[in-house]
Amino acid sequence: MFLINIDHIGIAVHDLDGALAEYRRQYRVEPVHRQIVESQGVEEAMIAVGGSHIQLLQPRSEDSPVGKFLASRGEGMHHVAYAVVDLDAALEHLRAEGVRLIDQEPRIGGGGARIAFVHPKSLAGTLIELVESP
Amino acid sequence: MFLINIDHIGIAVHDLDGALAEYRRQYRVEPVHRQIVESQGVEEAMIAVGGSHIQLLQPRSEDSPVGKFLASRGEGMHHVAYAVVDLDAALEHLRAEGVRLIDQEPRIGGGGARIAFVHPKSLAGTLIELVESP
């Protein structure tokens, strides 16, 4: 099996500071990392939970992918990210199976990781991100 | 911190057999557990990923919670479940913080675990399930 872990669950929010304050108040958790990822048009914060993370995503503009998601669906779960050992091999396998990809080649995501997104129409309406484990 | 792990991500699907076949084809994963949970009106299958799981949920009727979710939102991520050490203490804490719960008291979910759901209006549109770690 090439999925080695749930790296994170991405959750779209309107107000990152407000969402972090609610996570702190309700679940006593703190972000371990926070950054602006210009290439994705978001500011993100990562909260560690066991060996995985909750990733809160606030769009930087209404026409970014997360901005459009918020406009059409409202706040909530946006994607699930799986850690893989070898992202190039995973994408080659998915292409060979005829799976519809968003990213044909790996790109750099938050924290400098190599990532690629798989289209939600490929698998039960779920936007899947693959993250190469460093 | 009382959230010890992401126990699973629940994904609503129309056709459990079809979804499992696609997970198998695309990601080479197999379910480790499958059961009908009458109290929730679903048939569910659990796929292990690292220390966590993907839970595929097919409604048994259109008027079940997952059936209504599918009718209004379509297939996709339905909830995230966190493992907690002490579910009674977690619910008491959330009540004291004024957090809106779906289940005031623990009930029995798939696999016989003690579970409770927290209302999605409480935290960024995310339906949260708490699962007591056995």
Side-chain angles (χ1 to χ4, degrees):
Chain A
M1 179 171 112
F2 61 86
L3 304 180
I4 56 177
N5 194 21
I6 295 178
D7 185 81
H8 64 264
I9 300 168
I11 296 174
V13 302
H14 288 294
D15 169 10
L16 187 56
D17 289 321
L20 284 170
E22 282 301 305
Y23 269 90
R24 184 179 297 119
R25 183 175 75 85
Q26 296 182 31
Y27 293 101
R28 304 285 186 256
V29 289
E30 299 286 342
V32 292
H33 177 78
R34 180 170 177 161
Q35 88 178 96
I36 291 168
V37 185
E38 290 288 2
S39 63
Q40 293 176 51
V42 295
E43 183 168 3
E44 65 177 45
M46 293 291 240
I47 295 167
V49 177
S52 190
H53 302 84
I54 304 161
Q55 179 190 59
L56 301 179
L57 298 162
Q58 178 186 328
R60 304 261 293 158
S61 68
E62 287 180 12
D63 63 351
S64 63
V66 176
K68 289 175 184 168
F69 176 92
L70 276 176
S72 67
R73 310 265 302 186
E75 291 190 318
M77 285 182 284
H78 176 263
H79 68 271
V80 55
Y82 298 111
V84 298
V85 174
D86 182 338
L87 181 55
D88 297 300
L91 291 178
E92 189 177 317
H93 160 75
L94 291 171
R95 261 193 302 267
E97 288 288 346
V99 175
R100 182 170 166 190
L101 304 176
I102 291 175
D103 297 308
Q104 297 301 321
E105 300 296 334
R107 55 191 172 100
I108 302 301
R114 297 177 79 226
I115 66 164
F117 281 90
V118 184
H119 200 283
K121 285 199 189 301
S122 300
L123 193 51
T126 309
L127 176 60
I128 291 176
E129 179 182 355
L130 300 175
V131 182
E132 190 165 272
S133 209
Chain B
M1 177 170 111
F2 61 86
L3 304 180
I4 56 176
N5 195 21
I6 296 177
D7 185 81
H8 64 264
I9 299 169
I11 296 174
V13 302
H14 288 294
D15 169 10
L16 187 56
D17 288 320
L20 284 170
E22 281 301 304
Y23 269 90
R24 184 178 299 119
R25 186 176 72 87
Q26 296 183 31
Y27 294 101
R28 302 286 188 256
V29 290
E30 298 287 342
V32 292
H33 177 79
R34 180 171 177 161
Q35 88 178 97
I36 290 169
V37 184
E38 291 287 1
S39 63
Q40 291 175 52
V42 295
E43 182 167 2
E44 66 177 44
M46 294 290 240
I47 295 168
V49 177
S52 189
H53 301 83
I54 304 161
Q55 178 190 60
L56 301 179
L57 297 162
Q58 178 186 329
R60 304 261 292 158
S61 69
E62 288 180 11
D63 63 351
S64 63
V66 175
K68 290 176 184 169
F69 176 91
L70 276 175
S72 67
R73 312 263 303 185
E75 290 191 317
M77 286 183 284
H78 176 262
H79 69 271
V80 54
Y82 298 111
V84 298
V85 174
D86 182 339
L87 182 55
D88 296 301
L91 292 178
E92 188 177 318
H93 160 74
L94 291 171
R95 261 193 302 268
E97 288 288 346
V99 175
R100 182 171 165 190
L101 305 175
I102 291 175
D103 297 309
Q104 297 301 320
E105 300 296 334
R107 56 191 173 100
I108 302 302
R114 297 177 78 226
I115 66 165
F117 281 90
V118 183
H119 201 282
K121 285 200 188 301
S122 300
L123 193 52
T126 309
L127 177 59
I128 291 176
E129 178 183 355
L130 301 176
V131 182
E132 190 165 272
S133 209

